[in-house]
Amino acid sequence: MSFWSYLAIALAGTGAGLINTVVGSGSLITFPTLLFFGVNPLVANVSNNIGLVAGGVTGSWGYRHELTGRAATVRRLIPLSFVGSVIGASLLLVLPASAFQAIVPVLILIALVLVVLGPRIQQWAAPDEGESVPAWHVPAMGAGVFVAGMYGGYFGAAQGVLLMGILSALSTEPLQRLNGYKNVLALVVNVVAAGVFVLFARDEIDWVIVLLIAVGSFVGGIIGARVGRRIPPTALRALIVVIGVVAIVKLIWFS
């Protein structure tokens, strides 16, 4: 590849890091870019996943203030993302891509419905004054985070949309705080999946691509945290829906 192709991949990494921090689905920028330059799809998927870890670190750090005092919730959800991502990354190594990709658009569509209806669902499910949060919220959220982790370990694109749909429908916390949860959980998924790939799929890793995307996404995560934390909840929901629809169109008609 030429200097300009390397530059384009790095810039795609910056865009992916920004979008991953604000919404999710950054892989819908980097993955098609790599395919455009002739990179093998499996190599592109694996190398992209590893490179985007850097953006997950800066994006999560940028949302640290939103997570102040919420360590217990984070500790409860992280193991579920961890186990799910191990399963998802393992499936990528043993199953044909079509086996799981067939249900991806459905998962994203469900996530978008949850994002749009999130406020009404929250209002319906919110406890009355003096009552505690319904007991079913915790296991339901845990199951959703696990499924999102498995999906993210397998492919990763739009896992942020899926997570935000689940979290916004089952939590009464502010949307920006949920975005902070999303960034941390998505980072866990990417780190675990990257570890599985490094251990068991070294031949599928292009370290030049990893470096280019890592540098770009590192910068993009910083920018995304500064931008995303200033977006009003309504605008953030709208952005999530737009990105999700683009993801569905891309996966159904252009895969």
Side-chain angles (χ1 to χ4, degrees):
M1 288 188 286
S2 67
F3 166 80
W4 296 109
S5 61
Y6 288 148
L7 179 61
I9 292 172
L11 291 176
T14 301
L18 191 159
I19 290 179
N20 274 343
T21 303
V22 176
V23 181
S25 301
S27 288
L28 295 176
I29 296 178
T30 47
F31 189 69
T33 299
L34 295 175
L35 296 183
F36 176 80
F37 288 113
V39 180
N40 175 275
L42 183 57
V43 173
N45 191 23
V46 171
S47 303
N48 176 61
N49 184 292
I50 299 173
L52 288 177
V53 168
V57 172
T58 51
S60 297
W61 177 255
Y63 269 81
R64 65 192 182 279
H65 297 298
E66 279 71 19
L67 298 180
T68 300
R70 294 297 184 273
T73 300
V74 174
R75 286 196 298 267
R76 173 168 55 83
L77 295 176
I78 280 179
L80 298 169
S81 288
F82 180 92
V83 175
S85 61
V86 170
I87 296 174
S90 300
L91 289 175
L92 178 65
L93 302 179
V94 300
L95 294 178
S98 58
F100 194 75
Q101 188 176 353
I103 67 169
V104 169
V106 178
L107 290 175
I108 298 175
L109 181 60
I110 292 173
L112 295 182
V113 172
L114 291 175
V115 169
V116 173
L117 299 181
R120 292 191 177 184
I121 295 175
Q122 288 176 338
Q123 187 178 21
W124 168 75
D128 295 329
E129 186 175 353
E131 294 184 356
S132 59
V133 176
W136 61 269
H137 274 210
V138 174
M141 184 181 295
V145 168
F146 173 79
V147 171
M150 189 165 67
Y151 164 59
Y154 188 91
F155 183 51
Q159 70 164 315
V161 175
L162 188 60
L163 273 170
M164 285 300 290
I166 293 165
L167 295 174
S168 63
L170 297 174
S171 175
T172 57
E173 298 190 63
L175 196 64
Q176 289 292 3
R177 181 171 296 145
L178 299 182
N179 207 23
Y181 291 150
K182 179 265 294 179
N183 286 334
V184 172
L185 297 176
L187 173 61
V188 170
V189 171
N190 285 345
V191 168
V192 173
V196 171
F197 298 150
V198 170
L199 290 174
F200 301 107
R202 291 191 184 94
D203 294 340
E204 309 299 339
I205 300 173
D206 186 319
W207 288 106
V208 173
I209 290 176
V210 170
L211 179 61
L212 292 170
I213 293 179
V215 171
S217 66
F218 185 90
V219 175
I222 295 173
I223 298 172
R226 293 182 178 180
V227 172
R229 294 173 66 227
R230 291 170 171 79
I231 298 178
T234 301
L236 184 57
R237 289 184 189 277
L239 182 58
I240 291 171
V241 171
V242 170
I243 295 294
V245 170
V246 171
I248 293 174
V249 171
K250 169 66 177 63
L251 291 170
I252 293 179
W253 284 284
F254 297 98
S255 296

